[in-house]
Amino acid sequence: MARLPQQQQSINERYGPHPAFSTGVRLATGIEPDRVVKTHCCFCGQQCGIELKVKDDVVIGFEPREDFAFNRGMLCPKGVKRYLQGAHPDRLLTALARDESAPGGFRPMSYEEAVRRTASEINRIQSEHGRDAFAILSGASLTTEKAYLMGKFARVCLRTSNIDYNGRLCMVSAAAGNKKAFGIDRAANPWSDILDAEVVWISGANVAECAPITTNYVWQARERGARIIVVDPRITPIARTCDLFLPIKPGRDIALFNGILNLMIEHDWLDRDFIDNHTVGFEALAESVREWTPRRTAEVTGIAERAIRQAAEWWGRAKTSFLMHARGIEHHSHGVQNVLGAINIVLASGRIGRPGCGYATITGQGNGQGGREHGQKCDQLPGARDISNPEHRAYIADVWGVDADDIPGPGVDAYEIFRRIDRGEVRGLLSICFNPKVSLPDNNFVARMLDKLEFYVAIDFFLNETAQHADLVLPGSLHEEDEGVVTQIEGRVIKINKAVDPPGEARQDWRIIQDLAHALGRPQGFTFSDPGEIFEELRLASKGGVADYSGITYEKIERQGGVFWPCTDENHPGTPRLFEPGSWNPVARGAGPFYFPDGRARFNIAPYTPPTEDVDDEYPLMLTTGRVVSQFLSGTQTRRIGPLVEQYPEPRIELHPQLAEKLGIRDGDWATAETRRGAITLRAHVVKTIRPDTIFIPYHWPGRQSANQLTIAAQDPISKIPEYKVCAARLSVRKAGASTEQTETNGTNGRI
Ligand SMILES: Nc1nc2c(c(=O)[nH]1)N[C@H]1C(S)=C(S)[C@@H](COP(=O)(O)OP(=O)(O)OC[C@H]3O[C@@H](n4cnc5c(=O)[nH]c(N)nc54)[C@H](O)[C@@H]3O)O[C@H]1N2
Ligand SMILES: Nc1nc2c(c(=O)[nH]1)N[C@H]1C(S)=C(S)[C@@H](COP(=O)(O)OP(=O)(O)OC[C@H]3O[C@@H](n4cnc5c(=O)[nH]c(N)nc54)[C@H](O)[C@@H]3O)O[C@H]1N2
Ligand code: SF4
Ligand SMILES: [Mo]
């Protein structure tokens, strides 16, 4: 397959504008809506409540919801502008088939023909090369019903083991760490517990830009006297208002947690009763952190010894506390160990499972929580069950009406699927809700692998950069065009409500999957008539699992303003705070509050290992990557929304004035960042808010502006998360002849 020309002509120019486009924008100026639909924002895991205003089946505006307990009327800039995408001229209104002679490389195809062709290609590839030769990549922005259906489609209809999802790039280190320590993978507390914390510890989370509403909780805690500790190589907006900032070198968080624990032990800032009665493994851990003296911790982390002692004292002596972390400590080749290090200092303090005492990993994607519970992960079955566990397989086989032996075994992670393409083991791919060409590390490799596929079909509502390599594209649905549940950052299951119908030939994603099952001649188990029916089966499939949704109904979600799982029967109110003393769970069965047969949490030894690629003379700087407030993930959605583009039109390289002076780079100059994978030339952004040995590039842009040309494809051995947060780099004033993408439009085209 050939690559498309860089400058994509918009779908709109080729097939005519979506009829709603102009009216959508014009009507926003004060015309009364026909109806108002209560739902949630499509972007981040906080899932703010919003009301969509609809007129003539077009979303014309929105209001934040005051009645949703989490955001109570607050929104961030992305949520405010989200509704503009529905009427965007790039919206896919028909299926597309690759046609090199057509403008832009695609021609419209009828939906039915595209489904038929997809089915026949799947059949061909699987019969010639085996079932595992066809792979699925799915996403955690999908509703939980769709995520469940994708897992079932892979295992029951295609019977391929090769399915994984984009949460592999996001939540898996946190998930693995939580499972190892607590036996369950969910934020342990509702956010209201932040307000009563005496100390709030934030590691590797740019809260104000990436979880903006959480800032309000942290600030409220501060107003009530809490001390805020932030650990980050950059003084992010939340760090500017904290009480203690620990400017860590990227990739060294375990060393810090071990050093803090060592000081807690030395000063007996421990909850001995809790450790004795509710945990196992403390003595061995205590032994292992003895080497982490404040001096050694300071040497490894780059944080002043005094600051480490201060943090340990505040944390150690607090009566209540809340520790939260996000991808800054998780996107590492030892991401799971970092998470375990964080949990160790929480468990040693005994401050969990009580009001004002909490721990949480900040969920990323809109359904980053629900999307990782019900079987679209390569090793998982619904209810957070384990695909290798014979009892779990038997239970799900029964729900699905299949033989347990017919359910494939565990598959491989999303990046490994690309390595399997390289080895010729995977020949065909279906992707939905995933843009790996922009979001996977070392992404020039990813692009080559896409072109190596015999057949690739993508389901999306925009022609994202990955889909530009597809043979067929099926037009899926926007958030507001379907209903279903998602689980937000706190573990609260909430309901997305449908506001409008999909336009043109676009279809709700779950219908497309069912249509494929029918076209493949295997419709059994794929005859749901609405998401509500899928949810009813999901309730049953999750019953008795750790992620038990069996007591949740759509009606109960509406009535209660959301239901926290686990929720084991219809009279059960749900579980806002996990691990409360005396609480029951299906694994411990009364033995204790944690999800292990003895009811006890696990301390885990978390040894320090340096990043996979450390600095050296050739590449003396650390490159870290992440986000800015106005752009979302691979940018497919937010790069099309004009006001968001204006806030941050292109990626820049953040560097400290000392480094800038040394390299002769001024703010606004073109500078070239290089790693062993590639080079990228962007404008320099000289800021005092970053360590002088570290540079930062946001990753929301494609093509030659893509930060993932530079990142390393090293992965955590347990979670398989990529090491986006640190690799060795060098920086220079733009090399003569190095190109920039200033005049190209594929990063920001067609915005409204
Ligand atoms: N505006 C916006 N909001 C978003 C998203 C978005 O794309 N845009 N995406 C959503 C998603 S899916 C996710 S996963 C979350 C991500 O939310 P965050 O994890 O908060 O965001 P990141 O920018 O990936 O990284 C967080 C911080 O980690 C720091 N960091 C880098 N390396 C290290 C390290 O080694 N140690 C420590 N302690 N810190 C380090 C970075 O400087 C950065 O400030 O945001 C969600 N919300
Ligand atoms: N360098 C670097 N790379 C990173 C990160 C980093 O910090 N640094 N962060 C990583 C993280 S945490 C994440 S989560 C990933 C995200 O990486 P991706 O998942 O690739 O990013 P998205 O932009 O969410 O791509 C999702 C696609 O799904 C489509 N989509 C959204 N909702 C729906 C839907 O309901 N139905 C359908 N059919 N399609 C839908 C969107 O249009 C978009 O094209 O990126 C990772 N990549
Ligand atoms: S904070 Fe997250 S959920 Fe809330 S409006 Fe912003 S992007 Fe949407
Ligand atoms: Mo994420």
Side-chain angles (χ1 to χ4, degrees):
M1 270 179 278
R3 278 219 211 159
L4 277 181
Q6 282 278 355
Q7 296 221 347
Q8 273 292 314
Q9 204 185 357
S10 89
I11 299 285
N12 178 49
E13 283 164 43
R14 278 176 273 143
Y15 311 124
H18 177 358
F21 176 51
S22 52
T23 48
V25 174
R26 189 155 37 83
L27 283 172
T29 56
I31 289 182
E32 276 303 297
D34 303 333
R35 57 203 155 84
V36 168
V37 179
K38 283 190 179 187
T39 184
H40 295 268
C41 174
C42 62
F43 292 132
C44 87
Q46 297 182 97
Q47 288 297 294
C48 295
I50 55 169
E51 284 177 352
L52 291 178
K53 297 177 174 177
V54 183
K55 179 151 181 90
D56 299 334
D57 212 26
V58 174
V59 177
I60 58 164
F62 79 99
E63 293 284 347
R65 266 169 66 184
E66 300 283 344
D67 67 341
F68 184 56
F70 185 80
N71 64 309
R72 290 170 308 191
M74 292 176 284
L75 291 178
C76 83
K78 292 183 301 304
V80 167
K81 299 294 176 197
R82 67 171 293 288
Y83 75 96
L84 288 170
Q85 6 164 30
H88 194 282
D90 285 353
R91 176 65 202 274
L92 295 178
L93 303 173
T94 66
L96 299 176
R98 170 164 301 281
D99 180 347
E100 302 300 343
S101 63
F106 287 102
R107 66 181 158 79
M109 178 180 257
S110 83
Y111 173 79
E112 289 72 21
E113 194 189 342
V115 166
R116 263 198 312 276
R117 262 195 59 193
T118 301
S120 97
E121 284 295 303
I122 293 175
N123 274 335
R124 180 186 66 75
I125 288 173
Q126 289 196 312
S127 60
E128 285 174 16
H129 304 285
R131 294 197 189 97
D132 282 351
F134 200 88
I136 293 182
L137 289 174
S138 188
S141 297
L142 296 174
T143 60
T144 308
E145 289 83 347
K146 294 179 193 181
Y148 169 81
L149 196 70
M150 292 312 298
K152 184 178 180 187
F153 179 70
R155 274 65 173 249
V156 174
C157 188
L158 301 192
R159 289 178 60 195
T160 175
S161 66
N162 281 324
I163 173 168
D164 205 40
Y165 82 129
N166 61 8
R168 184 66 56 194
L169 324 181
C170 184
M171 298 307 303
V172 288
S173 291
N178 275 259
K179 270 180 78 177
K180 273 176 168 295
F182 302 127
I184 181 172
D185 161 30
R186 201 208 90 180
N189 298 66
W191 259 218
S192 51
D193 276 336
I194 298 172
L195 308 187
D196 295 322
E198 276 181 22
V199 171
V200 180
W201 180 304
I202 301 169
S203 268
N206 181 357
V207 171
E209 294 198 73
C210 300
I213 310 305
T214 299
T215 316
N216 188 268
Y217 286 84
V218 175
W219 282 354
Q220 281 189 61
R222 202 184 49 164
E223 292 204 344
R224 295 159 74 141
R227 283 173 165 143
I228 315 300
I229 302 172
V230 174
V231 189
D232 202 298
R234 299 155 63 225
I235 308 175
T236 58
I238 193 84
R240 281 167 219 161
T241 62
C242 77
D243 299 276
L244 182 61
F245 175 64
L246 308 181
I248 198 162
K249 273 190 193 172
R252 273 79 179 167
D253 291 82
I254 308 171
L256 177 64
F257 290 127
N258 286 347
I260 297 288
L261 184 60
N262 195 25
L263 283 166
M264 289 170 75
I265 296 168
E266 187 185 317
H267 294 275
D268 201 22
W269 292 323
L270 301 168
D271 184 338
R272 289 278 178 193
D273 283 348
F274 180 86
I275 293 172
D276 290 347
N277 297 323
H278 295 295
T279 68
V280 292
F282 185 69
E283 294 315 321
L285 173 65
E287 188 56 38
S288 80
V289 299
R290 213 183 273 177
E291 58 176 314
W292 287 99
T293 59
R295 174 173 298 177
R296 173 145 191 249
T297 310
E299 275 166 18
V300 172
T301 60
I303 303 169
E305 203 178 311
R306 200 161 29 94
I308 295 169
R309 288 183 183 277
Q310 181 68 84
E313 184 176 351
W314 283 355
W315 179 259
R317 297 172 85 115
K319 302 227 162 15
T320 56
S321 59
F322 201 109
L323 188 150
M324 59 178 90
H325 57 78
R327 302 313 81 75
I329 73 163
E330 300 161 26
H331 277 159
H332 292 279
S333 57
H334 47 255
V336 178
Q337 302 300 325
N338 282 340
V339 171
L340 293 172
I343 295 174
N344 285 339
I345 71 164
V346 173
L347 289 175
S349 77
R351 293 189 300 263
I352 192 158
R354 289 184 279 128
C357 293
Y359 161 79
T361 176
I362 299 176
T363 301
Q365 294 145 293
N367 196 19
Q369 181 67 52
R372 71 179 192 258
E373 297 163 355
H374 299 289
Q376 59 174 349
K377 288 172 85 167
C378 63
D379 56 354
Q380 189 195 54
L381 289 173
R385 287 185 165 86
D386 180 356
I387 204 164
S388 303
N389 178 319
E391 276 174 42
H392 293 186
R393 293 171 65 85
Y395 180 81
I396 295 299
D398 198 37
V399 174
W400 285 347
V402 299
D403 193 318
D405 291 338
D406 288 341
I407 297 178
V412 293
D413 67 87
Y415 206 86
E416 193 62 27
I417 286 181
F418 284 90
R419 296 193 187 103
R420 285 196 172 182
I421 297 171
D422 199 19
R423 294 198 296 268
E425 292 162 19
V426 167
R427 307 277 181 129
L429 177 69
L430 179 153
S431 75
I432 177 168
C433 197
F434 198 164
N435 192 7
K437 187 180 167 190
V438 179
S439 56
L440 281 175
D442 193 6
N443 59 11
N444 287 320
F445 169 73
V446 173
R448 283 200 310 278
M449 292 309 107
L450 290 168
D451 289 340
K452 208 173 167 186
L453 287 164
E454 283 177 24
F455 177 74
Y456 169 36
V457 58
I459 306 175
D460 210 298
F461 41 77
F462 290 134
L463 189 65
N464 72 26
E465 291 75 15
T466 311
Q468 287 172 14
H469 293 251
D471 297 284
L472 289 176
V473 183
L474 293 165
S477 48
L478 273 174
H479 210 241
E480 53 264 44
E481 294 161 2
D482 205 353
E483 67 169 347
V485 303
V486 301
T487 303
Q488 52 78 274
I489 197 163
E490 302 165 291
R492 193 194 309 247
V493 182
I494 51 174
K495 178 83 195 309
I496 305 305
N497 288 314
K498 177 169 171 281
V500 293
D501 288 322
E505 297 238 291
R507 300 280 195 284
Q508 288 153 338
D509 301 311
W510 61 273
R511 288 189 194 277
I512 300 178
I513 297 303
Q514 294 209 141
D515 289 345
L516 284 173
H518 288 247
L520 284 159
R522 297 189 285 277
Q524 306 80 358
F526 299 92
T527 52
F528 300 108
S529 54
D530 55 41
E533 280 189 9
I534 306 177
F535 188 68
E536 288 307 307
E537 186 178 294
L538 183 155
R539 286 178 62 194
L540 182 62
S542 75
K543 193 172 176 56
V546 168
D548 192 330
Y549 279 44
S550 60
I552 304 176
T553 63
Y554 281 2
E555 182 275 324
K556 188 165 160 181
I557 293 172
E558 299 294 358
R559 181 160 36 87
Q560 289 189 194
V563 182
F564 288 81
W565 72 261
C567 178
T568 46
D569 66 69
E570 285 193 29
N571 299 320
H572 189 293
T575 316
R577 186 182 299 115
L578 298 177
F579 318 134
E580 288 191 299
S583 58
W584 189 93
N585 73 61
V587 187
R589 304 185 161 274
F594 296 97
Y595 284 62
F596 291 105
D598 59 8
R600 288 167 177 258
R602 267 58 180 157
F603 282 105
N604 287 272
I605 295 176
Y608 166 73
T609 33
T612 305
E613 193 182 62
D614 221 339
V615 294
D616 55 23
D617 291 347
E618 224 184 323
Y619 295 94
L621 299 170
M622 287 173 279
L623 165 70
T624 191
T625 60
R627 302 162 157 73
V628 296
V629 67
S630 58
Q631 293 295 323
F632 191 66
L633 301 179
S634 70
T636 329
Q637 295 170 264
T638 45
R639 276 185 279 110
R640 287 187 162 88
I641 300 177
L644 298 180
V645 173
E646 275 149 31
Q647 273 191 36
Y648 204 106
E650 58 182 15
R652 290 177 290 179
I653 305 173
E654 270 186 25
L655 72 156
H656 191 272
Q658 278 172 20
L659 179 63
E661 202 189 322
K662 198 166 119 196
L663 300 175
I665 297 173
R666 285 160 310 168
D667 189 52
D669 280 354
W670 292 102
T672 302
E674 280 175 273
T675 68
R676 291 189 173 84
R677 271 75 48 200
I680 147 174
T681 298
L682 303 168
R683 287 201 192 273
H685 187 32
V686 179
V687 289
K688 289 191 190 134
T689 50
I690 187 165
R691 291 180 58 92
D693 55 10
T694 303
I695 57 173
F696 170 82
I697 307 178
Y699 88 101
H700 312 285
W701 288 266
R704 276 176 280 157
Q705 296 182 317
S706 171
N708 275 323
Q709 296 173 97
L710 305 182
T711 48
I712 185 165
Q715 289 168 279
D716 181 288
I718 301 168
S719 70
K720 303 290 181 188
I721 208 163
E723 188 148 61
Y724 293 119
K725 289 294 186 270
V726 57
C727 66
R730 62 183 174 218
L731 187 66
S732 54
V733 174
R734 175 193 178 180
K735 301 244 162 86
S739 66
T740 66
E741 214 164 84
Q742 197 181 23
T743 51
E744 285 194 20
T745 55
N746 78 336
T748 51
N749 64 343
R751 67 201 201 210
I752 54 175

